[in-house]
Amino acid sequence: MYLSHSKSLLFGFSHRGRFRTAVHLIDAQPEQTILDYGCGDGRLLKMLPCGRLLGYDPNPEDVDGLEMVADTSMLSPCSCDTVTVFEVFEHVSEAEVERIVAECRRLLKPQGKLIVSVPIEVGVSVLVKSLARWLKVRPLERNLTVANVLRSIFYRAVQRVPDHRGASGDFYGHMGFDYRKLKLSGFKISRKRYSPLPFGPLLNSQVFFVAKAL
């Protein structure tokens, strides 16, 4: 979410569109508490116009001027109006997805909303992204092979393997991630939005889910 890919006009356009979509879906209000789970350098939070803005990241970058949370367990239950999880779930295991979703549910107020964004790594989109990675426009991944790209293009399962082991656990690349299989247990998805173009997954790079607790 937080890479500008300034070397590429195409990917720069894509990422700017994602941030615009994110700000629109959050619709920050002055009285709200908004937590960005996996905030990176805090770029998204800095774009929001109002509200109590909290950031959490296991490996925070330069986040001067933001209210950072060292551990989300320090936050009280039902203390957030909105929790965002952008470009996180494709990098962690299914067990970790389940843990994070449960924590988001604990933190959200009864009428609060969870907003998730993940990349589209199946179909035509994966071909464009893979070419960019091979051309070093985007970071190269350990699991990026011709066979895996072909399987992803035709919506075939690809075995996911971690790129490396970090301080917070295994870190996975995008290859093999399928947004259609993402499980937000305990939530009902009320809205789906593709980015950067205003139509379905074909040729888009990202999908947003807006969900509320059951």
Side-chain angles (χ1 to χ4, degrees), residues 168-183:
S168 56
D170 287 336
F171 182 92
Y172 291 80
H174 290 204
M175 182 56 62
F177 180 81
D178 189 340
Y179 75 95
R180 301 170 305 162
K181 298 179 181 179
L182 180 64
K183 295 180 180 178

Side-chain angles (χ1 to χ4, degrees), residues 21 98 100-101 125 129 190:
T21 299
E98 186 175 349
I100 294 172
V101 169
S125 294
K129 293 181 177 183
S190 59

